[in-house]
């Protein structure tokens, strides 16, 4: 383990700054210089992406994450060149959830018309599926017909099958595992690619629980292969039961063979040390983070260990690289003229063209200020949810034929996916903030005494939902926000786990951003940031609309269709007898379109 303290921090020279036009999207802001921690190289090195969710154009309102997928292609190429020159190996990993959450994917019809080709340009060595690829049958089909063939021999589906729509035949989504030897070091690898025990998939795929897959003969044979190391990638959290089971199964057969895990799904920067020869890395979300891991001390059959790596056990290092050009220049030792590759520049150009064709920069209106999901307390004027509750829902939730009927409108906070920044709210922003295809539904004339209890029940009533087999955490969904909601003490400011402040380091002029504290310490981020404070938000919020002075006897209960099971379970608890049959469509347009319409009506065009 190499730890870099304050002494080895290097301020990037601002002289690097002038023009960054070589890469990134034309409207991307220039990154801001910050103190950096270098990468440590080993025999075997990795770059990981996960949960990119269509953000392949980079972040156009956040300089720290403003590099695009083309820049990442240049970066990977330059890093491979360096590895080749030094006789080391570099592998690229992607652990799924490449789709849903950004206009580049969501705004086309069919969705992803441009993103599969753009994503497929990166040379990824081991790639697997996330849950988001499987919610919609058409997305799962595109995964099978586009992404799998884009990564022949590299795509792994250890516990995932696809159902051929023509024959109805159930076949592996891709090969179950992959055996290969690294290019420069000749390290023999057995690699797997898993998805967590997910059950919300459309009916054209079959996800097998990990525990069951472990018992299959092919897996039992694979863990008995004569190999120098195992690599387990997955859309799986590092500390969840699935990786515990896989670790146990592999380690049970191979007492000291290195095992390297890569995780995803919970959108955090995270690391795990399972034992002295087994580690895991998870590279955040939304193209904010490129994960770096390096391994030294791998014993390669038939080869002497190099002098530098004679230690008995493996040495592992990790970095969470902020995705911007300044960082890429720093880590490659190159500059704006020597860094970009023709391939990377071409891909940046295709992203620009796709964004243009899709009209993603089309401005619906100008946000007068920032609205935060978790960076402001709820309720408060800076909270996106307060804005939604007080300003947006009362105007949206309105059905002419039920005019004048008092109503309670409920939505889960997980329905909102990202902060709104002051400035242009574009077509792209609508998909970023609200990528789900949820619609409002309602139950007519619900007794107020019952309807008025629902918010409290849904926000607090664990047992109500456990009985119905529902998990409260799905409503805020740790998957939708970059924090671990299950560890948050209520209701104050909380320490957001891995993203907590970097203790003791208080340099002025730092850019606010990730200050990750993980199992290996607080030196994982490649860029030193000032910490951000996150606040807990409730599972659901409600607006009371057209309420009379006197408490009404009955109200229309309007809610986002996604939360129907929770609403029905809570109503049952209050003594009401409603079923799915009582839930009627309310508004024809989806929430995303309604929100865009509200913005057009309420926010000016001059940013
Ligand atoms: C899958 O669901 C679709 C849409 O609900 C339905 O039309 C189809 O018959 C289902 N297929 C199978 C194999 O159950
Ligand atoms: C980049 O695009 C140009 C122009 O379309 C093309 O001629 C060239 O072959 C491309 N290069 C790479 C490496 O993709
Ligand atoms: C929130 O905004 C309202 C309306 O603009 C204002 O009256 C109120 O003082 C603000 N509250 C705080 C705490 O800033
Ligand atoms: Zn995700």
């Amino acid at each position: 383990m190499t730890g870099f303290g304050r002494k080895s921090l290097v301020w990037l020279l601002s002289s690097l700054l002038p023009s960054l036009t070589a890469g990134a999207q034309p409207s991307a802001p220039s990154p801001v210089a910050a103190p950096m921690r270098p990468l440590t190289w080993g025999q075997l090195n990795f770059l990981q992406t996960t949960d990119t969710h269509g953000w392949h154009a980079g972040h156009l309102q956040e300089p720290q994450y403003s590099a695009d997928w083309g820049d990442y292609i240049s970066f990977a190429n330059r890093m491979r060149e360096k590895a080749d020159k030094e006789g080391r190996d570099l592998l690229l990993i992607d652990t799924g959830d490449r789709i849903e959450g950004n206009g580049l994917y969501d705004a086309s019809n069919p969705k992803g018309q441009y993103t599969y080709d753009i994503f497929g340009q990166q040379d990824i060595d081991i790639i697997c599926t996330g849950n988001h690829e499987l919610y919609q049958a058409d997305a799962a089909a595109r995964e099978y017909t586009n992404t799998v063939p884009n990564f022949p021999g590299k795509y792994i589906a250890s516990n995932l099958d696809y159902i051929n729509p023509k024959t109805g035949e159930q076949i592996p989504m891709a090969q179950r595992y992959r055996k290969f030897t690294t290019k420069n070091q000749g390290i023999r690898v057995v690699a797997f690619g898993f998805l967590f025990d997910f059950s919300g998939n459309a009916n054209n795929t079959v996800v097998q629980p990990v525990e069951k897959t472990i018992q299959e003969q092919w897996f039992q044979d694979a863990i008995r292969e004569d190999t120098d190391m195992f690599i387990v990638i997955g859309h799986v959290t590092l500390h969840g039961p699935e990786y515990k089971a896989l670790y146990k199964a592999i380690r049970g057969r191979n007492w000291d063979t290195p095992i390297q895990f890569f995780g995803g799904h919970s959108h955090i920067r995270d690391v795990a040390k399972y034992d002295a020869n087994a580690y895991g890395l998870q590279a955040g979300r939304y193209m904010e983070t490129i994960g770096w891991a390096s391994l030294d001390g791998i014993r390669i059959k038939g080869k002497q260990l190099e002098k530098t790596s004679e230690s008995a056990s493996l040495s592992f290092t990790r970095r969470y690289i902020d995705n911007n050009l300044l960082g890429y220049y720093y880590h490659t030792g190159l500059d704006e003229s020597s860094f970009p590759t023709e391939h990377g520049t071409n891909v940046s150009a295709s992203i620009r063209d796709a964004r243009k064709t899709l009209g993603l920069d089309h401005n619906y209106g100008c946000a007068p200020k920032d609205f935060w999901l978790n960076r402001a307390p709820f309720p408060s004027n800076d909270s996106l949810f307060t804005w939604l509750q007080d300003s947006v829902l009362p105007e949206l939730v309105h059905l002419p034929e039920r005019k004048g009927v008092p109503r309670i409108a409920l939505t889960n906070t997980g329905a909102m996916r990202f902060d709104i920044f002051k400035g242009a709210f574009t077509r792209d922003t609508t998909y970023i903030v609200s990528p789900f295809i949820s619609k409002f539904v309602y139950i007519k004339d619900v007794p107020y005494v019952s309807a008025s209890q629902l918010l409290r029940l849904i926000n607090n009533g664990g047992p109500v939902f456990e009985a119905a087999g529902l998990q409260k955490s799905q409503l805020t969904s740790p998957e939708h926000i970059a924090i671990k909601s299950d560890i948050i003490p209520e209701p104050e400011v909380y320490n957001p786990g891995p993203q907590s402040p970097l203790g003791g380091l208080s340099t002025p002029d730092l850019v606010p951003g990730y200050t990750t504290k993980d199992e290996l310490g607080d030196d994982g981020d490649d860029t030193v940031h000032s910490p951000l404070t996150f606040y807990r938000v409730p599972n659901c919020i409600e607006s009371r609309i057209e309420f009379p002075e006197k408490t009404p006897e009955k109200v229309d209960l309007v809610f986002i269709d996604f939360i129907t099971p929770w609403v029905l379970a809570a109503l049952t608890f209050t003594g009401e007898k409603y079923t799915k049959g009582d839930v009627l469509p309310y508004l024809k347009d989806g929430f995303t379109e309604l929100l865009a319409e509200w913005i057009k009506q309420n926010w000016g065009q001059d940013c």
Side-chain angles (χ1 to χ4, degrees), residues 10-27:
V10 182
W11 276 90
L12 269 183
L13 294 177
S14 330
S15 64
L16 275 175
L17 272 170
S19 139
L20 291 163
T21 50
Q25 291 301 296
S27 64

Side-chain angles (χ1 to χ4, degrees), residues 9 47 62 77 83 105 117 215 234 338 394 430 453 461 479 554:
L9 295 177
L47 291 171
E62 292 174 287
N77 266 317
Y105 173 83
D117 280 350
Q215 292 159 20
S338 53
T430 53
Q453 295 180 52
E479 219 247 318
K554 293 191 167 171

Side-chain angles (χ1 to χ4, degrees), residues 448-520:
Y448 172 79
V449 282
S450 301
S452 60
Q453 295 180 52
L454 295 191
L455 183 69
R456 187 178 49 80
L457 281 171
I458 294 177
N459 283 342
N460 305 319
V464 179
F465 304 107
E466 273 156 36
L470 297 168
Q471 286 168 335
K472 230 174 40 153
S473 64
Q474 277 174 265
L475 295 171
T476 42
S477 187
E479 219 247 318
H480 296 155
I481 49 176
I483 51 167
K484 282 184 170 172
S485 62
D486 52 344
I487 56 160
I488 305 166
E490 309 198 33
E492 301 297 328
V493 178
Y494 61 89
N495 171 336
Q499 265 82 52
S500 72
L502 191 73
L505 212 153
S506 58
T507 316
D509 306 330
L510 290 179
V511 181
Y514 283 102
T515 51
T516 308
K517 193 161 168 27
D518 62 24
E519 236 177 271
L520 298 181

Side-chain angles (χ1 to χ4, degrees), residues 121 341-347:
Q121 295 297 314
T341 63
E342 186 181 308
H343 187 200
T345 308
N346 278 5
V347 173

Side-chain angles (χ1 to χ4, degrees), residues 51 53 96-97 131-132 235 265-267 286 417 479:
D51 298 271
H53 287 287
D97 272 12
N131 53 311
H132 274 266
H235 197 76
H265 186 55
S266 52
H267 291 189
Y286 303 161
R417 187 71 169 250
E479 219 247 318

